[in-house]
Amino acid sequence: MSHPTLSNQEVARRGKELYEESIRAKVETQENIGKIISINVETGDYEIGDDLVETSLRLKSKQPNAALWGERIGYDAVYAVGGTLLRTAQ
Amino acid sequence: MIHGNVVGLQARMSLMIIAPEGSGVEIECVIDTGFEGFLTLPPSVIATLELPYLININANLANNSSVETDVYLATIIWNGIERNIAALAMGRRPLIGTALLEDYHLGIDFCEGGTVLVDEIL
């Protein structure tokens, strides 16, 4: 069990939708490419940084049970586990 | 300096994970330089240690599929120092990735029983 009220699929769906529709255009700047963004999928609040633990804990300090979705800005996944991260930003 | 051994052509190394209630558990991991994160742990190990849930992410696997993955907060002892790292819940064998090895030297004697060594970069 990951999040108490939202399923994994729902966290992912809301997170991807928020990122694509209202966050990506603001944060996908040259200096942010490759950085981590953690998004609170219930409030739209987000934190950007170099470390997934730090950005996620910053959001959880405001709302301990927050449902969070993470992205690597400008790429199609946060980590490669044997695969390759594909750059999606120009 | 951290030591491990080569077993069946895998570089293996034990990692001390501190469970939230305070006890330390040693987990044998495979060092995977194709993994760019810190650590993967089987979901059963995460459940046993009762690690706190952190976030969900996409991870890209060797067959180029992207999978939605639960990430948990793991407190480990790395080179004598306590660190909080992201542990991806996946697979059956724990993996140590290159994010944990960043700014360290990795040496492997690739023969059965060979030495695995993680050390400061000189």
Side-chain angles (χ1 to χ4, degrees):
Chain A
M1 187 68 187
S2 46
H3 188 263
T5 54
L6 296 178
S7 69
N8 288 354
Q9 291 79 7
E10 185 61 13
V11 171
R13 190 191 66 76
R14 289 193 194 190
K16 286 176 189 174
E17 192 175 288
L18 271 168
Y19 185 69
E20 287 301 326
E21 291 179 7
S22 55
I23 300 172
R24 182 174 172 172
K26 282 186 276 188
V27 304
E28 202 174 80
T29 60
Q30 210 53 43
E31 63 172 32
N32 280 342
I33 300 287
K35 287 193 177 177
I36 300 284
I37 181 169
S38 293
I39 302 163
N40 181 329
V41 305
E42 291 165 301
T43 64
D45 201 9
Y46 60 83
E47 291 280 349
I48 295 170
D50 295 319
D51 186 86
L52 186 64
V53 170
E54 283 176 24
T55 53
S56 303
L57 290 182
R58 283 210 293 269
L59 287 176
K60 282 188 188 278
S61 69
K62 299 175 199 168
Q63 186 188 332
N65 282 329
L68 304 183
W69 174 252
E71 297 264 352
R72 187 177 292 276
I73 296 171
Y75 290 85
D76 65 340
V78 175
Y79 291 123
V81 186
T84 307
L85 297 186
L86 183 69
R87 183 163 166 150
T88 52
Q90 301 243 319
Chain B
M1 191 181 294
I2 309 165
H3 289 274
N5 283 104
V6 171
V7 181
L9 290 182
Q10 290 182 329
R12 297 191 186 178
M13 178 166 280
S14 287
L15 191 64
M16 179 68 82
I17 302 181
I18 311 295
E21 36 76 27
S23 63
V25 180
E26 229 176 14
I27 305 275
E28 190 178 55
C29 304
V30 171
I31 297 175
D32 181 354
T33 58
F35 167 38
E36 294 172 331
F38 291 87
L39 181 68
T40 71
L41 288 174
S44 58
V45 172
I46 287 171
T48 303
L49 295 175
E50 298 184 332
L51 300 184
Y53 159 73
L54 199 60
I55 190 167
N56 283 56
I57 62 161
N58 267 345
N60 186 265
L61 306 185
N63 66 0
N64 198 33
S65 64
S66 271
V67 292
E68 286 156 16
T69 307
D70 294 346
V71 182
Y72 291 78
L73 178 63
T75 302
I76 63 161
I77 305 293
W78 183 251
N79 208 23
I81 295 165
E82 199 170 293
R83 290 182 66 176
N84 285 327
I85 60 168
L88 280 54
M90 57 164 61
R92 284 186 293 179
R93 174 156 290 165
L95 300 176
I96 287 175
T98 53
L100 194 55
L101 299 170
E102 188 175 10
D103 294 326
Y104 283 88
H105 169 86
L106 169 65
I108 303 171
D109 293 333
F110 260 113
C111 55
E112 191 60 29
T115 299
V116 176
L117 194 68
V118 173
D119 204 356
E120 314 278 343
I121 296 173
L122 297 176

